[in-house]
PDB file of all heavy atoms in Angstrom:
ATOM      1  N   SER A 162      93.072 -38.109  46.825  1.00 81.00           N
ATOM      2  CA  SER A 162      93.815 -39.233  46.245  1.00 81.00           C
ATOM      3  C   SER A 162      94.493 -40.002  47.364  1.00 81.00           C
ATOM      4  O   SER A 162      95.002 -39.411  48.323  1.00 81.00           O
ATOM      5  CB  SER A 162      94.868 -38.696  45.265  1.00 81.00           C
ATOM      6  OG  SER A 162      95.633 -39.757  44.753  1.00 81.00           O
ATOM      7  N   ASN A 163      94.492 -41.309  47.257  1.00 79.00           N
ATOM      8  CA  ASN A 163      95.190 -42.182  48.207  1.00 79.00           C
ATOM      9  C   ASN A 163      94.836 -41.884  49.667  1.00 79.00           C
ATOM     10  O   ASN A 163      95.710 -41.852  50.534  1.00 79.00           O
ATOM     11  CB  ASN A 163      96.710 -42.078  48.011  1.00 79.00           C
ATOM     12  CG  ASN A 163      97.140 -42.499  46.627  1.00 79.00           C
ATOM     13  OD1 ASN A 163      96.552 -43.404  46.043  1.00 79.00           O
ATOM     14  ND2 ASN A 163      98.150 -41.851  46.097  1.00 79.00           N
ATOM     15  N   GLY A 164      93.561 -41.649  49.935  1.00 79.00           N
ATOM     16  CA  GLY A 164      93.115 -41.427  51.308  1.00 79.00           C
ATOM     17  C   GLY A 164      93.395 -40.047  51.842  1.00 79.00           C
ATOM     18  O   GLY A 164      93.133 -39.761  53.004  1.00 79.00           O
ATOM     19  N   ALA A 165      93.936 -39.159  50.996  1.00 84.00           N
ATOM     20  CA  ALA A 165      94.252 -37.802  51.449  1.00 84.00           C
ATOM     21  C   ALA A 165      93.418 -36.797  50.666  1.00 84.00           C
ATOM     22  O   ALA A 165      92.953 -37.057  49.563  1.00 84.00           O
ATOM     23  CB  ALA A 165      95.731 -37.516  51.254  1.00 84.00           C
ATOM     24  N   MET A 166      93.264 -35.638  51.269  1.00 86.00           N
ATOM     25  CA  MET A 166      92.551 -34.545  50.630  1.00 86.00           C
ATOM     26  C   MET A 166      93.480 -33.340  50.599  1.00 86.00           C
ATOM     27  O   MET A 166      94.021 -32.939  51.629  1.00 86.00           O
ATOM     28  CB  MET A 166      91.278 -34.214  51.422  1.00 86.00           C
ATOM     29  CG  MET A 166      90.483 -33.104  50.815  1.00 86.00           C
ATOM     30  SD  MET A 166      88.855 -32.752  51.571  1.00 86.00           S
ATOM     31  CE  MET A 166      88.866 -33.493  53.147  1.00 86.00           C
ATOM     32  N   LEU A 167      93.658 -32.748  49.405  1.00 87.00           N
ATOM     33  CA  LEU A 167      94.477 -31.555  49.237  1.00 87.00           C
ATOM     34  C   LEU A 167      93.531 -30.392  48.987  1.00 87.00           C
ATOM     35  O   LEU A 167      92.737 -30.409  48.043  1.00 87.00           O
ATOM     36  CB  LEU A 167      95.426 -31.714  48.049  1.00 87.00           C
ATOM     37  CG  LEU A 167      96.155 -30.446  47.599  1.00 87.00           C
ATOM     38  CD1 LEU A 167      97.119 -29.972  48.688  1.00 87.00           C
ATOM     39  CD2 LEU A 167      96.899 -30.696  46.303  1.00 87.00           C
ATOM     40  N   VAL A 168      93.607 -29.388  49.863  1.00 90.00           N
ATOM     41  CA  VAL A 168      92.778 -28.199  49.729  1.00 90.00           C
ATOM     42  C   VAL A 168      93.716 -27.017  49.535  1.00 90.00           C
ATOM     43  O   VAL A 168      94.586 -26.766  50.377  1.00 90.00           O
ATOM     44  CB  VAL A 168      91.903 -27.967  50.982  1.00 90.00           C
ATOM     45  CG1 VAL A 168      91.071 -26.705  50.832  1.00 90.00           C
ATOM     46  CG2 VAL A 168      91.016 -29.165  51.251  1.00 90.00           C
ATOM     47  N   SER A 169      93.547 -26.313  48.439  1.00 90.00           N
ATOM     48  CA  SER A 169      94.346 -25.112  48.218  1.00 90.00           C
ATOM     49  C   SER A 169      93.391 -23.957  47.970  1.00 90.00           C
ATOM     50  O   SER A 169      92.373 -24.110  47.287  1.00 90.00           O
ATOM     51  CB  SER A 169      95.307 -25.302  47.046  1.00 90.00           C
ATOM     52  OG  SER A 169      94.604 -25.665  45.895  1.00 90.00           O
ATOM     53  N   SER A 170      93.736 -22.799  48.551  1.00 89.00           N
ATOM     54  CA  SER A 170      92.821 -21.669  48.467  1.00 89.00           C
ATOM     55  C   SER A 170      93.549 -20.365  48.734  1.00 89.00           C
ATOM     56  O   SER A 170      94.558 -20.334  49.433  1.00 89.00           O
ATOM     57  CB  SER A 170      91.695 -21.839  49.482  1.00 89.00           C
ATOM     58  OG  SER A 170      90.801 -20.759  49.414  1.00 89.00           O
ATOM     59  N   CYS A 171      93.005 -19.304  48.183  1.00 88.00           N
ATOM     60  CA  CYS A 171      93.452 -17.955  48.515  1.00 88.00           C
ATOM     61  C   CYS A 171      92.632 -17.528  49.732  1.00 88.00           C
ATOM     62  O   CYS A 171      91.412 -17.660  49.741  1.00 88.00           O
ATOM     63  CB  CYS A 171      93.205 -17.027  47.332  1.00 88.00           C
ATOM     64  SG  CYS A 171      93.740 -15.344  47.636  1.00 88.00           S
ATOM     65  N   VAL A 172      93.301 -17.041  50.768  1.00 86.00           N
ATOM     66  CA  VAL A 172      92.634 -16.713  52.029  1.00 86.00           C
ATOM     67  C   VAL A 172      92.838 -15.243  52.349  1.00 86.00           C
ATOM     68  O   VAL A 172      93.948 -14.724  52.253  1.00 86.00           O
ATOM     69  CB  VAL A 172      93.203 -17.584  53.184  1.00 86.00           C
ATOM     70  CG1 VAL A 172      92.567 -17.211  54.498  1.00 86.00           C
ATOM     71  CG2 VAL A 172      93.001 -19.054  52.891  1.00 86.00           C
ATOM     72  N   MET A 173      91.746 -14.596  52.756  1.00 83.00           N
ATOM     73  CA  MET A 173      91.810 -13.209  53.217  1.00 83.00           C
ATOM     74  C   MET A 173      91.154 -13.153  54.590  1.00 83.00           C
ATOM     75  O   MET A 173      90.240 -13.921  54.875  1.00 83.00           O
ATOM     76  CB  MET A 173      91.067 -12.278  52.254  1.00 83.00           C
ATOM     77  CG  MET A 173      91.742 -12.173  50.917  1.00 83.00           C
ATOM     78  SD  MET A 173      90.948 -11.126  49.665  1.00 83.00           S
ATOM     79  CE  MET A 173      89.628 -10.309  50.435  1.00 83.00           C
ATOM     80  N   GLY A 174      91.592 -12.222  55.419  1.00 75.00           N
ATOM     81  CA  GLY A 174      91.012 -12.085  56.753  1.00 75.00           C
ATOM     82  C   GLY A 174      89.860 -11.107  56.771  1.00 75.00           C
ATOM     83  O   GLY A 174      89.921 -10.057  56.150  1.00 75.00           O
ATOM     84  N   PHE A 175      88.811 -11.472  57.485  1.00 68.00           N
ATOM     85  CA  PHE A 175      87.663 -10.579  57.651  1.00 68.00           C
ATOM     86  C   PHE A 175      87.976  -9.474  58.663  1.00 68.00           C
ATOM     87  O   PHE A 175      87.695  -8.320  58.442  1.00 68.00           O
ATOM     88  CB  PHE A 175      86.456 -11.330  58.214  1.00 68.00           C
ATOM     89  CG  PHE A 175      85.679 -12.109  57.201  1.00 68.00           C
ATOM     90  CD1 PHE A 175      85.271 -13.397  57.489  1.00 68.00           C
ATOM     91  CD2 PHE A 175      85.337 -11.573  55.990  1.00 68.00           C
ATOM     92  CE1 PHE A 175      84.522 -14.117  56.589  1.00 68.00           C
ATOM     93  CE2 PHE A 175      84.592 -12.292  55.076  1.00 68.00           C
ATOM     94  CZ  PHE A 175      84.192 -13.563  55.386  1.00 68.00           C
ATOM     95  N   TYR A 176      88.540  -9.866  59.800  1.00 64.00           N
ATOM     96  CA  TYR A 176      88.593  -8.984  60.954  1.00 64.00           C
ATOM     97  C   TYR A 176      89.918  -8.252  61.117  1.00 64.00           C
ATOM     98  O   TYR A 176      89.971  -7.228  61.780  1.00 64.00           O
ATOM     99  CB  TYR A 176      88.311  -9.786  62.235  1.00 64.00           C
ATOM    100  CG  TYR A 176      87.034 -10.568  62.140  1.00 64.00           C
ATOM    101  CD1 TYR A 176      87.030 -11.951  62.141  1.00 64.00           C
ATOM    102  CD2 TYR A 176      85.812  -9.918  62.023  1.00 64.00           C
ATOM    103  CE1 TYR A 176      85.851 -12.673  62.036  1.00 64.00           C
ATOM    104  CE2 TYR A 176      84.632 -10.636  61.918  1.00 64.00           C
ATOM    105  CZ  TYR A 176      84.656 -11.993  61.933  1.00 64.00           C
ATOM    106  OH  TYR A 176      83.489 -12.703  61.826  1.00 64.00           O
ATOM    107  N   CYS A 177      90.974  -8.752  60.552  1.00 61.00           N
ATOM    108  CA  CYS A 177      92.263  -8.094  60.744  1.00 61.00           C
ATOM    109  C   CYS A 177      92.782  -7.573  59.405  1.00 61.00           C
ATOM    110  O   CYS A 177      92.410  -8.060  58.348  1.00 61.00           O
ATOM    111  CB  CYS A 177      93.269  -9.046  61.382  1.00 61.00           C
ATOM    112  SG  CYS A 177      93.534 -10.547  60.451  1.00 61.00           S
TER     113      CYS A 177
END
Side-chain angles (χ1 to χ4, degrees):
S162 177
N163 299 325
M166 181 173 18
L167 169 66
V168 179
S169 56
S170 180
C171 181
V172 177
M173 293 179 7
F175 279 135
Y176 307 114
C177 57

